[in-house]
């Protein structure tokens, strides 16, 4: 019996605990050790890392990837990609998606985990196709959610579609940590019975179910589990790598992990965690167990957003009402999974409905775009009255939304001009225009200073 591990310390754990603020230099020193741990893969790029590099860390995300690649020649590097949204919040035209995937692989990525917030298969097609063309592994990710229209059958159907697209593995993505152990067992079993691909399980420890859920998933035949080195595990992050390896090894599973190396990695990350705690950049709240998500079926991150939003408006007395309104908005929208960007959109609309004292008096522009079909197909039926209110006599887009978009890569390249030194720079600019441009300017400034300095030295 065998089970493999994906280490999330550099991406999801970093993102879930400390808002992706780990600078490259902070973990550079442990990369060659991580390369020897025996992981199935190292999740180290994509998700919020790209944005964070440009916006907060003054780092070129592509450069970061190349450096990790160089330090970890023996481990598969993995990234998370939101299908046609890439790493952002809107749909990009196909030429941009293809170029982004191609450059990700060229710069060192081996495995691309691709998902769509609505589980609309059309929104991952192009990214999967390009991943395969470039010889990397395409992992189709199913966003796990609970609703009257989501069940084993619908998940198996989606997995089969992903298999047909050419995905080489299927990942179950439980972003809210609401997948229970028995549900995980049944889901993994159903997937293994119906598709020939390896199954990967991704969950979060938010509600405390994480380790139990992974354990039962492995018993059902799950091939790979996502975990985080213990000092960066738990709470809104993943279950701990060492603990899961220990427990599964006791049960007779071969993990391929070197426990001594894991200890070295953990010892390295411990003081980093302590520093983040000390500076207040790691809030102990995110490390604790929060079972509210089980009661409300609302991801933890979304709850804290709602609290922040209502507190800012001095309306916390409406919290319970907003919590009750949230599932109703979700139902009206055809039960989208509560993952970025839908989680934010549903939460904001629910609060607006309560605070205005009238449902859908104000409708956000994002919700309008969603109803217009700009995010893809709603999983279920959108409330016809709401649809009518937003669209009037217009028809929603029923084709793949990206088919309505003009190619953009060459246009963006012309737009940013000399500031972009490579196609990778152009992609950074397309993904986060203002942040990328500011980063390019600073880089230019730094280069000038270095140049002056070197002239002085020649003198
Ligand atoms: Co996650």
């Amino acid at each position: 019996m065998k089970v493999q591990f994906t280490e999330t310390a550099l991406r999801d754990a970093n993102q879930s605990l400390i808002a992706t603020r780990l600078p490259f230099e902070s973990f550079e020193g442990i990369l060659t050790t991580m390369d020897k741990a025996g992981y199935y893969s190292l999740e180290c790029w994509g998700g919020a890392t790209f944005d964070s590099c440009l916006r907060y860390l003054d780092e070129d995300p592509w450069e970061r990837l190349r450096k990790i690649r160089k330090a970890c020649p023996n481990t598969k590097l993995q990234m998370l990609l939101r299908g046609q949204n890439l790493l952002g919040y809107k749909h990009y035209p196909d030429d941009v998606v293809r170029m982004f995937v191609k450059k990700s692989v060229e710069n060192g990525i081996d495995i691309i985990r691709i998902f769509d917030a609505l589980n609309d298969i059309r929104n991952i097609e192009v990214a999967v196709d390009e991943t395969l063309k470039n010889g990397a592994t395409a992992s189709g990710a199913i966003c796990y959610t609970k609703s009257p229209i989501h069940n084993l059958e619908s998940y198996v159907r989606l997995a089969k579609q992903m298999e047909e697209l050419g995905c080489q593995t299927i990942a179950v993505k439980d972003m809210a940590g609401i997948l229970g152990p028995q549900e995980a067992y049944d889901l993994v079993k159903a997937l293994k019975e119906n598709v020939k691909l390896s199954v990967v399980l991704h969950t979060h420890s938010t509600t405390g179910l994480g380790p139990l859920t992974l354990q039962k998933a492995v018993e059902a035949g799950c091939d790979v589990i996502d975990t985080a080195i213990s000092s960066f595990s738990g709470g809104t992050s993943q279950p701990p790598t060492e603990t899961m390896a220990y427990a599964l090894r006791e049960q007779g599973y071969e993990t391929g992990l070197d426990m001594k190396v894991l200890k070295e990695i953990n010892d390295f990350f411990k003081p980093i965690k302590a520093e983040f705690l000390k500076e207040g950049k790691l809030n102990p709240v995110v490390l604790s167990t929060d079972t509210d998500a089980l009661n409300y079926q609302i991801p933890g991150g979304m709850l804290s957003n709602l609290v922040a939003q209502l507190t800012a408006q001095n309306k916390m007395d409406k919290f319970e009402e907003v919590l009750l309104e949230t599932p109703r908005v979700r139902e009206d929208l055809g039960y989208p999974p509560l993952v970025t960007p839908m989680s934010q959109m549903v939460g904001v609309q629910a609060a607006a409905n309560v605070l205005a004292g009238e449902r859908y008096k104000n409708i956000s522009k994002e919700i309008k775009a969603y109803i217009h079909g700009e995010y893809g197909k709603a999983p279920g039926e959108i409330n016809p009255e709401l649809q009518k209110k937003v669209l009037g006599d217009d028809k929603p887009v029923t084709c793949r939304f990206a088919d309505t978009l003009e190619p953009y890569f060459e246009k963006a390249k012309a737009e940013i001009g000399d500031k972009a030194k490579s196609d990778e720079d152009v992609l950074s600019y397309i993904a986060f225009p203002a942040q990328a441009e500011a980063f390019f300017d600073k880089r230019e400034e730094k280069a000038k200073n270095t140049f002056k300095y070197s002239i002085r030295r020649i003198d």
Side-chain angles (χ1 to χ4, degrees):
M1 293 189 298
K2 197 177 163 193
V3 60
Q4 289 184 287
F5 287 63
T6 290
E7 172 61 51
T8 67
L10 304 181
R11 206 286 299 175
D12 205 347
N14 173 15
Q15 183 172 328
S16 302
L17 297 182
I18 51 171
T20 332
R21 295 298 202 277
L22 275 183
F24 176 76
E25 294 78 46
S26 71
F27 58 82
E28 182 177 15
I30 197 65
L31 287 173
T32 51
T33 309
M34 292 182 100
D35 195 34
K36 295 184 198 119
Y39 298 129
Y40 165 77
S41 66
L42 193 56
E43 194 201 28
C44 61
W45 212 62
T49 60
F50 199 94
D51 186 5
S52 182
C53 275
L54 291 169
R55 197 185 296 259
Y56 304 112
L57 303 172
D58 221 357
E59 270 183 51
D60 179 349
W62 301 97
E63 180 74 28
R64 170 184 283 213
L65 173 56
R66 288 190 292 271
K67 286 182 190 161
I68 299 174
R69 174 76 287 167
K70 203 165 168 231
C72 300
N74 304 307
T75 307
K76 284 182 180 157
L77 301 186
Q78 184 175 315
M79 75 173 288
L80 180 69
L81 191 79
R82 199 181 300 129
Q84 206 72 26
N85 284 355
L86 298 176
L87 308 173
Y89 308 107
K90 58 170 191 180
H91 282 207
Y92 295 99
D94 291 341
D95 67 323
V96 171
V97 173
R98 289 194 183 278
M99 184 63 103
F100 198 96
V101 168
K102 180 169 175 264
K103 288 291 168 187
S104 301
V105 177
E106 261 181 41
N107 282 277
I109 289 292
D110 300 294
I111 302 171
I112 309 190
R113 181 179 291 170
I114 307 165
F115 76 102
D116 175 64
L118 300 176
N119 286 326
D120 184 340
I121 192 86
R122 300 170 304 170
N123 293 339
I124 71 163
E125 262 171 32
V126 172
V128 168
D129 182 61
E130 192 63 28
T131 303
L132 299 176
K133 270 192 187 144
N134 284 277
T137 298
S139 180
I142 297 170
C143 290
Y144 179 79
T145 189
K146 291 180 185 182
S147 87
I149 57 159
H150 291 91
N151 49 41
L152 282 185
E153 232 182 341
S154 70
Y155 289 128
V156 165
R157 201 183 319 126
L158 184 57
K160 279 185 173 168
Q161 288 172 335
M162 287 172 167
E163 187 175 37
E164 270 164 36
L165 276 190
C167 289
Q168 290 121 319
T169 67
I170 298 291
V172 175
K173 180 176 164 60
D174 171 29
M175 51 277 166
I178 55 169
L179 174 66
Q182 189 59 45
E183 289 160 326
Y185 185 91
D186 295 340
L187 178 54
V188 169
K189 202 158 188 292
L191 292 174
K192 294 295 285 186
E193 278 167 7
N194 287 283
V195 293
K196 293 178 199 74
L197 312 178
S198 289
V199 173
V200 182
L201 183 58
H202 175 85
T203 185
H204 287 252
S205 280
T206 323
T207 62
L209 288 173
L212 306 168
T213 297
L214 290 183
Q215 163 91 28
K216 288 295 279 183
V218 170
E219 286 173 18
C222 184
D223 302 275
V224 181
I225 55 175
D226 282 12
T227 58
I229 199 75
S230 55
S231 46
F232 266 74
S233 73
T236 52
S237 173
Q238 274 69 51
T241 308
E242 303 96 300
T243 315
M244 289 310 303
Y246 187 98
L248 289 165
R249 187 169 295 180
E250 265 198 341
Q251 274 188 289
Y253 287 93
E254 209 181 288
T255 65
L257 292 174
D258 185 324
M259 298 304 267
K260 269 200 213 120
V261 175
L262 290 185
K263 181 171 176 354
E264 255 182 83
I265 297 168
N266 192 38
D267 287 345
F268 182 89
F269 278 102
K270 267 185 200 169
I272 298 181
K273 176 190 184 179
E275 189 62 25
F276 272 88
L277 268 171
K278 203 176 104 197
E279 289 174 3
K281 291 182 191 160
L282 169 54
N283 185 338
V285 170
V286 301
L287 290 170
S288 59
T289 302
D290 184 347
T291 51
D292 279 349
L294 297 177
N295 303 324
Y296 299 121
Q297 301 289 319
I298 294 172
M302 203 176 149
L303 282 172
S304 48
N305 272 350
L306 283 178
V307 171
Q309 195 192 338
L310 293 173
T311 309
Q313 298 180 61
N314 214 2
K315 290 281 196 285
M316 260 315 273
D317 54 315
K318 302 280 186 198
F319 187 55
E320 281 295 320
E321 243 178 287
V322 175
L323 283 182
L324 291 174
E325 175 63 7
T326 303
R328 292 176 65 203
V329 171
R330 183 168 175 243
E331 182 180 349
D332 289 338
L333 297 178
Y335 300 107
L338 295 176
V339 63
T340 307
M342 292 313 304
S343 46
Q344 290 85 341
M345 285 157 58
V346 170
V348 167
Q349 189 60 52
N353 287 357
V354 170
L355 297 182
E358 183 188 329
R359 305 192 76 219
Y360 304 111
K361 186 175 177 195
N362 307 309
I363 302 176
S364 75
K365 123 172 159 283
E366 288 80 13
I367 295 284
K368 284 181 184 162
Y370 171 84
I371 292 173
H372 195 249
E374 293 179 21
Y375 289 84
K377 194 179 177 321
E381 199 202 348
I382 294 179
N383 179 333
E385 256 173 66
L386 176 62
Q387 192 169 29
K388 176 100 185 128
K389 184 165 182 178
V390 169
L391 297 178
D393 291 328
D394 280 0
K395 291 261 172 298
V397 180
T398 51
C399 69
R400 195 179 68 106
F401 184 66
D403 287 336
T404 68
L405 304 172
E406 293 291 323
Y408 182 54
F409 185 81
E410 290 304 328
K411 216 176 138 206
K413 197 171 182 169
E415 239 171 67
I416 187 69
D418 284 352
K419 286 189 182 183
K421 306 295 178 214
S422 60
D423 285 347
E424 284 82 350
D425 277 354
V426 178
L427 290 165
S428 299
Y429 170 70
I430 292 173
F432 301 101
Q435 289 72 28
E437 211 175 332
F439 171 78
F440 298 153
D441 289 343
K442 267 190 245 168
R443 184 177 61 184
E444 189 76 28
E445 203 51 42
K446 256 191 227 163
K448 264 191 221 151
N449 290 338
T450 321
F451 186 59
K452 272 189 232 147
Y453 179 64
S454 59
I455 289 175
R456 241 184 275 133
R457 274 185 44 163
I458 293 163
D459 286 344

